Amino acid sequence: MMRRLSCVVLGLLIGAAPAFGQAKAKATTPEIPFDSAANFLKLPPGLYMGEGTGVATNSKGHVFVFTRSGETRLFEFDQNGTFVKEFGVGSYGFAFAHAVRVDKDDNVWAVDEGTNVIQKFSPDGKLLMVLGKRPDPLEQLAIMPGGGQYSGGNRPYTFHRQTDVAWDPQGNIFVSDGYGDSRVVKFDKNGRFVKAAGTRGNGTLQFSTPHAIAVDQKGMVYVADRGNSRIVVLDNDLNQKAVYDTVGAPWAICISQGAHPYLYTSNSFPTGNNFDQAGETGEIYKMELDGTVLGRFGKAGHGFKEFSSVHQMDCRNPDELYVAEITQWRVQKLTLRPPTRTSSGR
Amino acid sequence: MKRISGFFVGASAAAAVLAASLGAQSVSEINYDANADLISLPSYGEVAGVATNSRGQIFVYARTGHAVATLGDERTFYHGGSRIFQFDSSGKFVKEIGQGVYAVNFAQQIRVDPQDNIWIVDAGSNQIVKFDPDGGYLMVLGRKPENIGVRPGTGMPASAPDVEAARNTAAPERGRGGEGGGGGRGGAAPGAGINGDGFSRPSDVTWDRAGNIYVADGYGTNNRIAKFTKDGNFVKTWGSTGAGQGQFNQIRGIASDAAGNIYVADAGNKRIQVFDGNGTFKSQITNIGTPQAICVSGGATQYLYSSNSNDPESLNGGDIYKVQLGGQVVGKFGKAGKMAKEFGMVNAIDCRTENDLWVAEVWNWRAQKVTLKR
């Protein structure tokens, strides 16, 4: 009863904010043809996907999937989709998966918003670093339920439902934090706090659920400001430099590697939303880092080549994307083909 | 905690200057090596306790996996959330002990007594459990609250949860609706850790030469030491909340020397108080930061180690002090951080021999073997 009431409240909040809606660039953007291998990942018998909240690849093409199954679990598959191993079995830092990222040294970073912890694993699964701290469960008892809402604690070494992690070429660590705070936190490569920027709102250096983060080769920081339907670009010292607001609500963003990096962003179909809004959301955009929109693909839906609340994307290779979905329990591997302008021009 | 951390952030600049001017001149640095890779946890989590036995075997009590709530008959029960691991002297994992034990819930400390029995202190169940050297159950002190008192939900977002208030009220509020809820006040002797007057987030345990048991009680609201015979019969309690002699503000550790003196890490008052075995105040040590983990070494000349564990919201401090039993600081080593040789909130020190230590870190989810060099 109470839970249902809170859902109603949440629904109203989502309804009030532009969490979904028609992206301004949609009608004028050329359509990119693509193929999908939806059953690319082969789970061993007895293992099941849950909500696909995180996906990333390493330099060898191995695919890492962070999923809310019965327990939150982190799986590794090889480049052919064959199961390799599981990371952090039974870890204290796995309660509610949010994102997984692979750094330039192929270390695997798991962002868990149920424990407020980010774990850094070596490629062979050894725990190398822990950022954040799981709240003392005994302290949680007296304040439950109702936790997990925005409270803006803005503390240097603890997160509040942080959402994603990224690194600049020097190895500095950037965390988008998150549902309970509204900020970006910068640490040096040794995990020491450098600074934090951002409060709740829709103004300059304000965020409404910063949901994903990416850093380019120059160290510029791209924040997916989901609730404000915009991507906010910060410099390496977390000063605001630009806003891209024509591509819908960015649930997932990523920057491809190589000489000419591209920015991808997903205007995801909101989890739990009524499907009559599916026609207005669900597409993924390909952009230049300066915000120029190059193309788009996909639409909301549970079906083949459709997207059901894309939650994270990997775009190491700009023409070969992995997308993890919440409301269809899967990861799709997408192969993009050269863009063609749609004949209708819509 | 919230209030304390706020203070630390605000005063950090001044504190750093002060620490530099006082500390650097007066306390010598002890050279040391540290190995963070000697043991690897079968399941990752916060390492609250580490201890060795006389054969060099290593025991770890870690918060790992998840505390689980079971919906029952108008009540919610809870279990799990921590595990006890045993390693051989080379660091190889040997076995888990205490699987599924009722008290294993929120790891706080593990100690090995002179007879190699293994003791765990659990702040979730408010219990201390004694296992034999092979991990068989021997004794329990304190009682776990029968159920948790989950407040009825309003469905509305909580207004900025006050964690400090939560910490102070969680233990007493839990355990309602059942005989012997650990936090409830009843007719039993204060500090007995039994029906009616339980421990409140106990933090540590030690023994004197006769085998009497001293429980640090603890992180919660009690601020007292409870003494039991070696058979677990309640003897007495001392201490109350405050800053005077024999008063405490969050007891995070306890240790004893060969003469039977009891050392109490009185963290909130930034001191270690020394008592005889009857609870009579003898002296205090105040120049060692905020003591969290303390340990008295073996050997003919005993030393006291005390971790000035870093505040949760800073990587300041973190150094471990080596102190003569009389209170004179010999030196210190280490600093807070996340890399090898650095310390992430040390919650346990094992110092069976003077220069070979094990330290357990809550924030870095590991235990390091530390070797002090001359």
Side-chain angles (χ1 to χ4, degrees), chain B residues 134 166 365:
Chain B
D134 295 321
W365 295 17

Side-chain angles (χ1 to χ4, degrees), chain A residues 92 94 126 136 157-158 192, chain B residues 37 43-44 66 201 313 336:
Chain A
Y92 198 58
F94 288 163
K126 177 177 155 56
D136 182 334
Y157 287 103
T158 41
R192 288 186 176 260
Chain B
D37 297 320
S43 173
Y44 291 127
H66 311 291
R201 305 198 65 173
E313 292 304 332

Side-chain angles (χ1 to χ4, degrees), chain B residues 230-286:
Chain B
K230 65 178 167 49
D231 300 319
N233 295 320
F234 177 68
V235 177
K236 68 181 298 184
T237 184
W238 74 85
S240 59
T241 302
Q245 288 183 1
Q247 291 190 310
F248 308 104
N249 182 356
Q250 205 172 82
I251 303 169
R252 296 187 184 175
I254 193 167
S256 57
D257 65 19
N261 295 308
I262 306 298
Y263 299 79
V264 180
D266 182 12
N269 291 322
K270 291 179 155 301
R271 63 183 177 182
I272 295 170
Q273 294 192 61
V274 188
F275 301 89
D276 70 15
N278 294 317
T280 304
F281 176 85
K282 295 183 75 172
S283 63
Q284 63 179 19
I285 302 166
T286 56

Side-chain angles (χ1 to χ4, degrees), chain A residues 101 163-164 176 209-214 222-225 250-253 311:
Chain A
R101 297 278 190 181
T163 52
D164 202 1
S176 51
T209 312
H211 194 260
I213 194 167
Y222 300 76
V223 184
D225 186 10
W251 282 51
I253 61 171
H311 193 268

Side-chain angles (χ1 to χ4, degrees), chain A residues 2 6 90 92-94 119 125-127 130 133-134 136-139 141-142 146 149 155-158 190 192, chain B residues 2 37 43-44 46 63-66 106 123 151 153 155 157-158 163 167 174 201 313 315 336 338-339 363 365:
Chain A
M2 288 309 175
S6 80
Y92 198 58
F94 288 163
Q119 293 172 85
K126 177 177 155 56
L127 182 68
V130 179
K133 183 164 189 314
R134 182 170 184 165
D136 182 334
L138 303 182
E139 291 175 343
L141 287 174
Q149 307 293 333
R155 302 182 192 192
Y157 287 103
T158 41
N190 295 332
R192 288 186 176 260
Chain B
K2 178 177 284 181
D37 297 320
S43 173
Y44 291 127
E46 298 176 354
R63 301 163 190 162
T64 186
H66 311 291
F106 188 72
R151 292 190 317 199
V163 174
R167 163 167 273 163
R174 282 185 290 117
R201 305 198 65 173
E313 292 304 332
L315 290 184
K338 294 178 181 291
M339 311 308 287
W363 279 67
W365 295 17

